[in-house]
Every structure is written in C-alpha cells, then in structure tokens.
Amino acid sequence: MIPASPDSPGGSLASDQEILQRAQDWREQGKGVALATVVETWGSAPRPTGSNLVIDEDGNFLGSVSGGCVEGAVVTEALDVISDGKPKMLEFGVADETAWRVGLSCGGTIRVYVEKLD
Amino acid sequence: MKLATLQALNRARQDRRAVALVTDLDSGEERLVAESAIASDPLGALLAVQMRQGKSARVEQDGRSYFVTVHVPPVKLVMTGAVHISQALVPLARLLGYDPVVVDPRTAFASPERFPDVRLVADWPDVALPPLGIDRYTAFVALTHDPKIDDPALAHALARDCFYIGALGSRKTHARRLERLRAEGISDQALARIRAPIGLDIGAISPAEIAVAIIAEITSALRLESGEKKPRLPA
C-alpha cells in the first residue's frame, strides 16, 4: 500500500494539469524533480500511455502510472534519477520476478520512462 | 525534460491549445510541437496520426525510438440552469476531470449556497457565455426549461462548435425548440447536433440519475464517436 503524499490530497485523481503544474512549481522552488510517464502498455493496463507521475527529491508525488500497484517502486527509482540525472526505462508486469511485490494485479505490463526535470 | 519545455507545455494547456510533446528515448531530448507546426515537423506524419487519435504512444522512425505525448485541452462543461440536475452534474464533472461552469440569470437559483465551490455566472447567456471561451473541447448542456435562457445559449454552443450539445426536454418540447431556433436562421444540419431528450437512455428519473445519463452521453461523445468535432483526450 502506497501512503498518500501530503502534497496530493486528490491522490491518483489529480488532473494532468495539476500534475504537470506541480512538477513545474517544485522545480521553480529549486527542488529536484523527476517525471515518470507510461510509454507502453500491453494487456489490461490500468492507466493509458501518457499518464504521468511526478516526484520531488523528498519522495512527495502526484499523479499515477498504474493506479497504485507500482507507484512505490517508481518513486524509489525516481529518487535515483533525481540524484544522478540519468533517465531510466522501467518495466512492470506479472511476468516480472518482483511480481508479488510490485507487479500489476490486473495482468498487464507497462513500461515507464523516468526522467529528471532539468 | 527541460524546465522551459514543461513551462511551455503548461502554458499551452492553460491556453487550451493542443500540443504534442516528443521525447527521443535514446538521447532524452524533447521538443514541443504545436498543432499548427505538425506538418513541418520531421515526425509530422506520425504526429498527425497520434494527434488525430488523441493517443500518446511510442513511435519508431529511422531506427530511433520516440515517445509522443498528446496534450489536448481538458473538457469544459458549461450548463445553463442552476437546477437540481446541475447540482449533481458539477461533482460528477469534477470526478471526470472536467471543468464545470454554471450559468443562470435567476439569482434565486444561481446562489453560492446552492452551488459552493463552482464557477457560477448569474447573468444572461449573451453576457455570460462569450467570456467563457467555449470551444470544441467544451460540452454544453441546456437545463433551464426556459427558452429565453436556453435558446440563445444553444445558438452560442452551436456557433462555437462544442463537441457535445444537449438540451433537457421531451420530444415535444424539443420540436418546438427546433422551430424557434430554425426561425432564428440556424440550419437543420446544425440543429441535428443537439441531443434531446438529453442523456443516454438508462431509465433515469431523479435529478442525480439524469446527471449520470448526461455525463455518460458526454463520455461516449468524447471517446466513441468519429468525426472532426470530437476532441480525443489521452484519458
């Protein structure tokens, strides 16, 4: 279970506008920020391509890439991306060896691109 | 992504301009492409397809991999009538990420007590509607039952090419409404775009149920139907 971010009372229902605006606000405040985007989906993925999750250097986040299943893992990876600046391509699905931990219960597979906001 | 790119993207979204964000997945470089600049972009043909379908997707060209995020404006839902149905429509619209606005010159109806936390314009349509920037990413519903309010608002919605236009009232009421609008010089082709009786037929009786039927019909107009009128949103 992913704890709700104090910055996201709307949780995964935050609109795209709020999500991308929040990323901009955080960056303009001088925070390290990463942007995660669903770039590919197979099977019954819970969120469509183009869905965004934004993360700040303290682990606050807004948006969703899966409806709660893998956000925790994406946030962890995003913190690495913020510190080293290198983008990452993450893949999650039931075939994944970590399926029991962070897999998608719906049976789909998603690929998530995580990049730093410069 | 560069902060400047994100700032430009957020600006386009605020101004309700459709744009595509192209990210080169090998180099990490990105660019923002306005709808009007698609034809001259190196990925133009691919972008045009994604934009038309309103779908973000990974695309390949010349051995390179790109991710195209399509950003089209969020749906605005404008309703005339600060009535029971609109009281139910406002939270439903919010839930779906639409931006609701309620217009009603009758201040007894259009009171902040009845409609807290929503943009409420207590004025006649000819004054209230033009500043709202009603466009083809807007759904319009006429709910007052009063021709003095609904008729000019419907004419405005048709002129602004809203992707969904619905009007409350029975078939008989609607037939009379069409006669009046025809007399105002609106073409039959345009009038055919008004959905009445409003909402999907789910046997709705209560105001809340009618609101559900209307929201469902708007969703289907957004997601299912083809044609130029339809904005396609990436969910």
Side-chain angles (χ1 to χ4, degrees):
Chain A
M1 191 65 203
I2 313 291
S5 158
D7 274 335
S8 59
S12 63
L13 291 177
S15 74
D16 293 349
Q17 180 69 61
E18 286 174 81
I19 295 163
L20 296 174
Q21 187 59 49
R22 183 70 56 90
Q24 181 181 331
D25 294 346
W26 278 337
R27 190 71 199 96
E28 285 169 352
Q29 288 161 15
K31 287 183 173 175
V33 177
L35 183 70
T37 307
V38 177
V39 292
E40 272 182 292
T41 67
W42 298 265
S44 61
R47 297 285 286 135
T49 51
S51 300
N52 287 126
L53 176 71
V54 298
I55 306 98
D56 79 358
E57 61 192 25
D58 301 319
N60 294 310
F61 64 91
L62 187 68
S64 71
V65 290
S66 76
C69 314
V70 303
E71 271 73 3
V74 174
V75 169
T76 307
E77 297 286 343
L79 294 175
D80 288 349
V81 171
I82 291 171
S83 61
D84 70 14
K86 291 198 192 90
K88 280 187 188 186
M89 189 69 82
L90 310 174
E91 195 177 307
F92 300 98
V94 285
D96 198 290
E97 59 190 17
T98 59
W100 287 108
R101 207 150 41 86
V102 292
L104 295 167
S105 52
C106 52
T109 302
I110 61 171
R111 195 169 282 168
V112 179
Y113 182 69
V114 187
E115 61 187 315
K116 186 177 182 179
L117 185 58
D118 290 326
Chain B
M1 190 195 289
K2 291 186 179 60
L3 177 59
T5 307
L6 182 62
Q7 287 166 332
L9 172 58
N10 281 331
R11 220 159 27 239
R13 295 179 61 103
Q14 269 154 23
D15 298 345
R16 295 178 70 82
R17 282 182 280 116
V19 288
L21 174 67
V22 180
T23 306
D24 183 323
L25 289 174
D26 302 312
S27 70
E29 278 171 33
E30 84 275 335
R31 66 177 181 277
L32 206 57
V33 184
E35 206 169 15
S36 56
I38 283 178
S40 56
D41 191 89
L43 289 177
L46 287 170
L47 293 185
V49 171
Q50 297 310 130
M51 205 74 155
R52 201 162 56 234
Q53 296 177 341
K55 267 196 186 147
S56 299
R58 186 170 173 162
V59 300
E60 311 264 338
Q61 183 167 297
D62 304 327
R64 291 188 82 85
S65 200
Y66 303 90
F67 186 64
V68 177
T69 323
V70 173
H71 293 269
V72 294
V75 172
K76 192 185 301 212
L77 173 58
V78 177
M79 54 204 107
T80 49
V83 295
H84 279 133
I85 296 171
S86 22
Q87 282 178 311
L89 264 178
V90 167
L92 286 174
R94 284 262 163 71
L95 197 59
L96 272 73
Y98 304 168
D99 177 18
V101 185
V102 180
V103 174
D104 198 326
R106 304 167 300 180
T107 47
F109 288 86
S111 73
E113 291 75 32
R114 284 165 51 83
F115 288 86
D117 309 322
V118 65
R119 187 161 173 198
L120 187 62
V121 189
D123 223 324
W124 291 88
D126 60 331
V127 178
L129 298 183
L132 294 181
I134 290 171
D135 56 19
R136 67 192 180 97
Y137 302 104
T138 303
F140 172 78
V141 295
L143 302 172
T144 68
H145 277 307
D146 183 342
K148 290 196 302 299
I149 302 167
D150 284 349
D151 284 8
L154 284 165
H156 184 79
L158 285 167
R160 294 298 183 93
D161 206 17
C162 293
F163 78 92
Y164 174 93
I165 301 175
L168 191 67
S170 65
R171 281 183 179 78
K172 214 185 256 178
T173 306
H174 187 57
R176 285 197 295 272
R177 172 160 46 217
L178 291 180
E179 272 172 39
R180 289 191 306 271
L181 292 170
R182 215 173 274 129
E184 295 288 321
I186 299 175
S187 73
D188 284 340
Q189 196 192 349
L191 292 176
R193 297 202 51 229
I194 302 175
R195 292 154 195 264
I198 200 169
L200 291 189
D201 187 1
I202 55 170
I205 293 173
S206 72
E209 289 168 354
I210 295 168
V212 168
I214 293 171
I215 280 287
E217 192 172 47
I218 293 173
T219 306
S220 88
L222 188 64
R223 301 295 184 197
L224 287 184
E225 292 161 31
S226 56
E228 289 298 309
K229 301 275 186 281
K230 184 193 150 208
R232 297 169 179 83
L233 304 192

